[in-house]
């Protein structure tokens, strides 16, 4: 199987390494970088358009490991549509295209009978998107998740007594927060992930514009202390029903499964007509995102049909 | 699609009801009961052998909702092998055949290119077995689970201060324990489920005879009190590595994900080279077992290949 990468940063490199470790019959034929196409990997960048690159290299799968562009999802969105036209499957770890244009992208994939894998966009390698594949026909009425490790780490530290600034500094020192943590801290990253999950579990076509979100930057130190005294813990909860998508800080009680999701761990509670299901695990890291991509690749190559 | 039932108790009835509610294009053509074959459902029992019944009704899937026979797994094991010979898929909620003869059954299914679904045998409708389908190629090194709701309910109540006898009585009154709870209480049920999960996640061919198990019947009231004072909680933990399968009571600390699995809830922690994944939900009830069967039916009918 031939894979072409869109982007070649930490996740892309971890993915190539994971393929090597698993000795899979998958060949990475090249990567689009900012400066152009590199094919084979390690060669020189050449100015080649994505359309031409797809034509010349004719991969079976386009794997998007590029950085999110939340303005319009480009160049990813156009690259996906070009890939689908040629029957090329797409697997993405990049949230932006799906948070902005889920319906357009999925409809085109279906029309062209190509597959779209995007486990890595939410909770990295922990089945959140792909859990739906083994929960067919279940009527979901609510999703509640802790989908951002950075903010959960900061809130966990604040619960332990640190100020927001101290907790953020520690998160940055530990590598759990970006130098510019804005999109994590203000709830935007959680909102993008919630959009994707809602579309998967409710079969809807929402965009991130449909999410009412707020972040953790205005959480008051003394408020957190009061909650702690009452046995409550602050969490940035991403919540979706059929009618509303929302991200906001909630003070949770001990009997809430999300209460026990601490530090950089992510967790998702799926409430359905038959049962509540809770899944949790680490939601970040290049190797875990790479595994999310690999799991999509193996599921798609086993011939499983799209379930979303 | 035509389904033939083996057994027709609470789970079988819940399954028929679930099919009706979901308006699926599935027809239940009959059921084998103790007294013989009933076809169509609601008709009279006739003395027909399983082999003949499969021949006459030629179902696409045999669904085993019969009671477990831990002596030799019959009549289920023979029925599965007869089904596979005819290319008929098998879905089972009955643990015994797989806890006793996993390898023999799976090998025959593969040889005949038939599918075998058994999500409902462990944690009912909560993806435990089927979670493996979306975790391909992951190198699992340990499974740790709370796989029996009855014992977990009793231990939770003992942690709250009840004696074993009081807790068992309460579990029976609530319908969480059988009138004869022996196979739950002595750890056997957990051992059967652990066998199945180990075979799925390690790709091995263990039988329940390979499990060292003990139960909760000899747990000391005062010991539980001492643990509580030390912040520990007793749990019947089913644990598997590649080299050892074991069920025993452990006193867990608060930072163990299984610590927070209380009452009749089940939980499973999958430790792998890339990440630890934890999943939990209700592990019992006819409707949930019926959903476990339905999820297998929909996955198999979507043409997904066996991943185990």
């Amino acid at each position: 199987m031939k894979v072409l990468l869109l982007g070649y940063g930490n996740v892309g490199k971890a993915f190539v390494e994971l393929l090597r470790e698993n000795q899979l019959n998958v060949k990475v034929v090249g990567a689009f970088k900012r400066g152009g196409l590199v094919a084979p990997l390690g060669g020189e960048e050449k100015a080649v358009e994505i359309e031409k690159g797809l034509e010349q290299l004719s991969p079976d799968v386009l794997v998007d490991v590029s950085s999110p562009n939340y303005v319009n999802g480009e160049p990813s969105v156009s690259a996906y549509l070009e890939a689908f036209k040629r029957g090329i499957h797409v697997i993405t770890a990049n949230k932006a295209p799906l948070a902005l244009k889920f319906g357009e992208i999925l409809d085109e994939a279906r029309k062209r009978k190509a597959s779209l894998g995007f486990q890595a966009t939410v909770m990295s390698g922990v089945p959140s998107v792909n859990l739906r594949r083994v929960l067919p026909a279940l009527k979901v009425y609510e999703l509640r998740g802790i989908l951002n490790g950075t903010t959960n780490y900061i809130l966990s530290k604040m619960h332990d007594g640190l100020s927001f600034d101290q907790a953020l500094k520690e998160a940055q020192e530990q590598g759990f927060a970006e130098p510019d943590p804005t999109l994590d801290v203000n709830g935007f990253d959680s909102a993008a992930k919630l959009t994707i999950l809602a579309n998967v579990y409710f079969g809807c076509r929402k965009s991130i514009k449909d999410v009412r979100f707020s972040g953790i930057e205005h959480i008051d130190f003394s408020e957190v202390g009061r909650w702690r005294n009452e046995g409550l813990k602050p969490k940035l909860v991403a919540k979706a029903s059929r009618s509303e998508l929302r991200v906001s800080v909630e003070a949770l009680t001990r009997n809430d499964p999300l209460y026990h999701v601490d530090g950089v761990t992510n967790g998702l509670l799926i409430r359905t007509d038959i049962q509540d299901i809770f899944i949790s695990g680490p939601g970040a890291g290049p190797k875990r995102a790479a595994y999310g991509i690999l799991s999509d690749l193996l599921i798609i190559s086993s011939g499983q049909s799209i379930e979303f």
Side-chain angles (χ1 to χ4, degrees), chain A:
Chain A
M1 194 183 314
K2 290 198 291 183
V3 167
L4 178 59
L5 300 177
L6 185 59
Y8 194 50
N10 287 340
V11 175
K13 279 165 193 155
F15 176 63
V16 170
E17 175 62 18
L18 200 57
L19 288 175
R20 202 190 53 72
E21 281 173 24
N22 279 277
Q23 303 187 297
L24 295 168
N25 188 18
V26 176
K27 189 174 160 59
V28 178
V29 294
F32 283 105
K33 297 170 78 170
R34 246 170 248 274
L37 177 64
V38 180
L41 286 184
E44 273 184 29
E45 288 188 29
K46 286 175 200 153
V48 176
E49 282 172 21
I50 287 175
E51 207 177 325
K52 287 267 164 56
L54 291 170
E55 208 65 64
Q56 285 170 15
L57 297 165
S58 64
D60 301 291
V61 186
L62 177 70
V63 170
D64 183 3
V65 285
S66 66
S67 305
N69 164 2
Y70 284 110
V71 178
N72 56 18
E74 294 298 347
S76 297
V77 174
S78 298
Y80 300 177
L81 301 182
E82 289 296 331
F84 294 145
K85 261 192 213 168
R86 293 164 176 82
I88 297 168
H89 307 306
V90 171
I91 297 174
T92 179
N94 176 358
K95 292 176 288 289
L98 297 177
L100 295 170
K101 297 176 182 176
F102 189 92
E104 187 184 334
I105 292 167
L106 187 60
D107 291 346
E108 185 68 14
R110 284 189 170 162
K111 191 172 133 194
R112 306 292 186 162
K113 300 205 191 310
S115 292
L116 175 66
F118 49 102
Q119 170 49 52
T121 59
V122 185
M123 293 172 72
S124 286
V126 179
S128 53
V129 169
N130 279 350
L131 190 61
R132 182 56 162 173
R133 295 183 191 267
V134 291
L135 291 173
L138 209 52
K139 282 161 205 71
V140 177
Y141 59 83
E142 191 185 60
L143 301 171
R144 288 177 72 238
I146 293 175
L147 304 178
N148 180 275
T150 306
T151 47
N152 201 46
Y153 181 88
I154 293 172
L155 289 176
S156 295
K157 287 290 166 185
M158 289 177 76
H159 179 73
D160 293 343
L162 267 58
S163 71
F164 174 82
D165 290 335
Q166 288 170 320
L168 173 59
K169 187 158 170 279
E170 204 174 298
Q172 285 171 325
E173 283 166 4
Q174 299 276 327
F176 298 148
E178 306 279 337
D180 177 1
T182 310
L183 294 185
D184 292 316
V185 165
N186 72 5
F188 188 89
D189 177 77
S190 295
K193 291 167 173 167
L194 183 67
T195 306
I196 293 171
L197 288 181
N199 286 330
V200 166
Y201 281 89
F202 298 124
C204 59
R205 294 291 186 264
K206 301 279 190 190
S207 98
I208 192 167
K209 295 179 184 70
D210 300 310
V211 189
R212 278 173 55 199
F213 69 91
S214 56
I216 66 166
E217 65 274 52
H218 304 301
I219 297 303
D220 191 53
F221 182 66
S222 58
E223 180 92 60
V224 174
R226 264 198 306 281
W227 284 335
R228 184 174 50 243
N229 293 339
E230 292 167 29
L232 303 172
K233 217 190 262 180
K235 295 288 176 192
L236 186 63
V237 177
K239 193 158 72 175
S241 65
R242 287 194 178 270
S243 56
E244 192 187 21
L245 307 186
R246 188 169 179 169
V247 176
S248 60
V249 172
E250 295 180 17
L252 304 185
T253 60
R254 196 176 287 276
N255 57 8
D256 189 321
L258 298 181
Y259 178 98
H260 305 289
V261 178
D262 284 327
V264 289
T265 305
N266 284 191
L268 175 65
L269 181 65
I270 303 165
R271 309 195 66 187
T272 81
D273 57 335
I274 297 205
Q275 58 197 350
D276 290 357
I277 293 169
F278 174 69
I279 190 162
S280 67
K287 189 159 188 181
R288 290 160 187 159
Y291 176 73
I293 296 168
L294 181 66
S295 66
D296 278 337
L297 187 68
L298 293 171
I299 291 168
I300 287 173
S301 67
S302 78
Q304 189 182 295
S305 54
I306 302 173
E307 283 292 336
F308 311 126

